[in-house]
Amino acid sequence: MDLASNLGGKIEKAQVLSAVDKYEKYHASYGGQEDERKANYSDMVNKYYDLATSFYEFGWGESFHFATRWVGESLRESIKRHEHFLALQLGLTPGQKVLDVGCGIGGPLREISRFSSTSVTGLNNNEYQITRGKALNRKTGVDKTCNFVKADFMKMPFEDNSFDAVYAIEATCHAPDAYGCYKEIYRVLKPGQCFAAYEWCMTDSFDPNNQEHQKIKAEIEIGDGLPDIRLTTKCLEALKQAGFEVIWEKDLASDSPLPWYLPLDKSHFSLSSFRLTAVGRLFTRNMVKALEFVGLAPKGSQRVQDFLEKAAEGLVEGGKREIFTPMYFFLARKPASESN
């Protein structure tokens, strides 16, 4: 019932179907153009997360991201380790002021704050996700040390040199321009301090002239609210152009003992992540269909699940063909002085 009551986020229930129509029309599958998605990225991404967040939370938990995974490790354990790894790479120490760019409902924010004893600010432009995040912060007791700011990460409302560290987990892929986003992060980060991220990217194996590759890319874009998916090399170029010194970078998917896309692979079954399996997704699909039919879920809910299913298929295929990664990792430093 929580899934049904929260479907659509802050969108009026009677307007959900119209919002789905508008969202879909941004994408290539419905005749949309990349330039239009980039020009209207804020509206597109906000609609996406209003429509999709309750599905994410129902199926994935509070941390909406993938992770490298060891044999015998549960999905939840791998997600926590993925977050701890990032905190360790940043060298976080107690009392530091940290920024989470594109924080979702704050799952990683809470985990990293507790793990490192830091104060984390979550930046998010979606009102519904911030409302959920604040409630979860209160529930877990981190509301005194962690907070949320509603703003666009292309135009952050912070003073220069405000944070001891900045990170982004599968979030800045929503930016219409990587350089512009990284430049803002550079501005608010203190000199000599680090920025780390997991980026969604197309790999060097992606062939833009291959129609099947383009179909997979388009499925991921519509199912995940993306204006475009950049190549790993483009992210690296944008980082350097923004002024960062790149300490190291790597596609961590290449070393994962278990495939990162395993939770979404219909051939895989797991009781610990049952809702993500083929059987669990079929159950959810029928439940949403029934709830929409009786009026407990707004009209359009089933169509949201349809494009999320399409995204899952694209992600699995993209992973199997090694043309897409959700964990291109980099650690970059802002020089201690502008002359460095």
Side-chain angles (χ1 to χ4, degrees), residues 255-329:
D255 287 342
S256 183
L258 292 176
W260 60 265
Y261 54 81
L262 192 65
L264 297 178
D265 191 338
K266 288 185 176 179
S267 65
H268 173 70
F269 183 82
S270 169
L271 285 175
S272 64
S273 51
F274 173 75
R275 290 174 178 176
L276 296 173
T277 64
V279 176
R281 280 147 62 180
L282 178 62
F283 172 80
T284 303
R285 180 180 180 80
N286 288 332
M287 178 182 66
V288 171
K289 184 177 181 180
L291 291 170
E292 186 173 331
F293 179 77
V294 300
L296 291 175
K299 292 186 183 300
S301 299
Q302 194 174 340
R303 279 172 58 186
V304 175
Q305 190 177 17
D306 286 344
F307 66 65
L308 292 175
E309 279 288 328
K310 189 174 292 185
E313 292 168 8
L315 288 165
V316 171
E317 278 303 303
K320 286 182 175 179
R321 297 182 188 220
E322 299 182 347
I323 63 171
F324 169 82
T325 177
M327 54 188 74
Y328 174 60
F329 176 83

Side-chain angles (χ1 to χ4, degrees), residues 84-104:
H84 295 173
F85 173 83
L86 186 147
L88 290 168
Q89 287 297 310
L90 284 168
L92 299 183
T93 56
Q96 283 189 318
K97 186 179 177 184
V98 182
L99 178 65
D100 180 334
V101 179
C103 62

Side-chain angles (χ1 to χ4, degrees), residues 207-222:
D207 179 2
N209 297 314
N210 184 313
Q211 288 190 344
E212 189 61 28
H213 286 193
Q214 286 287 8
K215 177 177 177 291
I216 290 167
K217 180 174 179 282
E219 286 175 344
I220 297 171
E221 286 168 350
I222 188 172

Side-chain angles (χ1 to χ4, degrees), residues 71-86:
V71 176
E73 187 177 43
S74 71
L75 175 62
R76 189 175 296 275
E77 288 170 339
S78 71
I79 283 173
K80 285 190 174 186
R81 178 178 48 74
H82 206 57
E83 294 163 358
H84 295 173
F85 173 83
L86 186 147

Side-chain angles (χ1 to χ4, degrees), residues 31-289:
Q33 300 296 317
E34 181 184 323
D35 287 348
E36 185 183 3
R37 291 194 296 277
K38 288 183 175 180
N40 297 282
Y41 73 94
S42 183
D43 179 67
M44 182 190 72
V45 174
N46 257 300
K47 280 187 171 60
Y48 174 76
Y49 279 114
D50 272 331
L51 295 168
T53 293
S54 59
F55 282 103
Y56 272 34
E57 195 173 352
F58 179 76
W60 212 258
E62 295 177 21
S63 293
F64 306 158
H65 64 81
F66 293 99
T68 56
R69 191 168 168 188
W70 292 95
V71 176
E73 187 177 43
S74 71
L75 175 62
R76 189 175 296 275
E77 288 170 339
S78 71
I79 283 173
K80 285 190 174 186
R81 178 178 48 74
H82 206 57
E83 294 163 358
H84 295 173
F85 173 83
L86 186 147
L88 290 168
Q89 287 297 310
L90 284 168
L92 299 183
T93 56
Q96 283 189 318
K97 186 179 177 184
V98 182
L99 178 65
D100 180 334
V101 179
C103 62
I105 61 172
L109 175 156
R110 287 181 287 278
E111 186 64 32
I112 287 173
S113 174
R114 290 177 293 194
F115 178 72
S116 60
S117 298
T118 53
S119 173
V120 186
T121 295
L123 184 72
N124 192 326
N125 207 22
N126 183 269
E127 186 179 347
Y128 172 67
Q129 288 197 334
I130 287 178
T131 300
R132 282 292 297 143
K134 286 180 176 178
L136 292 167
N137 276 10
R138 289 191 294 271
K139 183 178 178 181
T140 53
V142 300
D143 52 310
K144 299 293 190 296
T145 55
C146 298
N147 68 308
F148 293 91
V149 173
K150 185 182 184 304
D152 185 341
F153 52 40
M154 302 297 289
K155 295 170 286 188
M156 298 187 197
F158 306 119
E159 297 293 327
D160 295 357
N161 310 322
S162 294
F163 295 94
D164 298 302
V166 181
Y167 68 84
I169 301 179
E170 302 182 20
T172 48
C173 51
H174 292 293
D177 168 34
Y179 165 73
C181 181
Y182 295 163
K183 193 65 178 175
E184 268 295 90
I185 290 168
Y186 183 95
R187 181 182 66 79
V188 303
L189 181 63
K190 291 179 181 178
Q193 302 305 307
C194 290
F195 165 45
Y198 296 115
E199 281 282 12
W200 280 34
C201 293
M202 305 311 292
T203 70
D204 290 340
S205 298
F206 172 72
D207 179 2
N209 297 314
N210 184 313
Q211 288 190 344
E212 189 61 28
H213 286 193
Q214 286 287 8
K215 177 177 177 291
I216 290 167
K217 180 174 179 282
E219 286 175 344
I220 297 171
E221 286 168 350
I222 188 172
D224 294 284
L226 305 176
D228 185 29
I229 309 176
R230 290 176 279 274
L231 289 168
T232 55
T233 51
K234 293 298 183 184
C235 286
L236 191 58
E237 287 173 12
L239 270 175
K240 293 176 180 178
Q241 186 184 6
F244 284 105
E245 301 170 345
V246 179
I247 298 171
W248 74 280
E249 47 83 27
K250 185 177 182 178
D251 177 9
L252 298 185
S254 61
D255 287 342
S256 183
L258 292 176
W260 60 265
Y261 54 81
L262 192 65
L264 297 178
D265 191 338
K266 288 185 176 179
S267 65
H268 173 70
F269 183 82
S270 169
L271 285 175
S272 64
S273 51
F274 173 75
R275 290 174 178 176
L276 296 173
T277 64
V279 176
R281 280 147 62 180
L282 178 62
F283 172 80
T284 303
R285 180 180 180 80
N286 288 332
M287 178 182 66
V288 171
K289 184 177 181 180

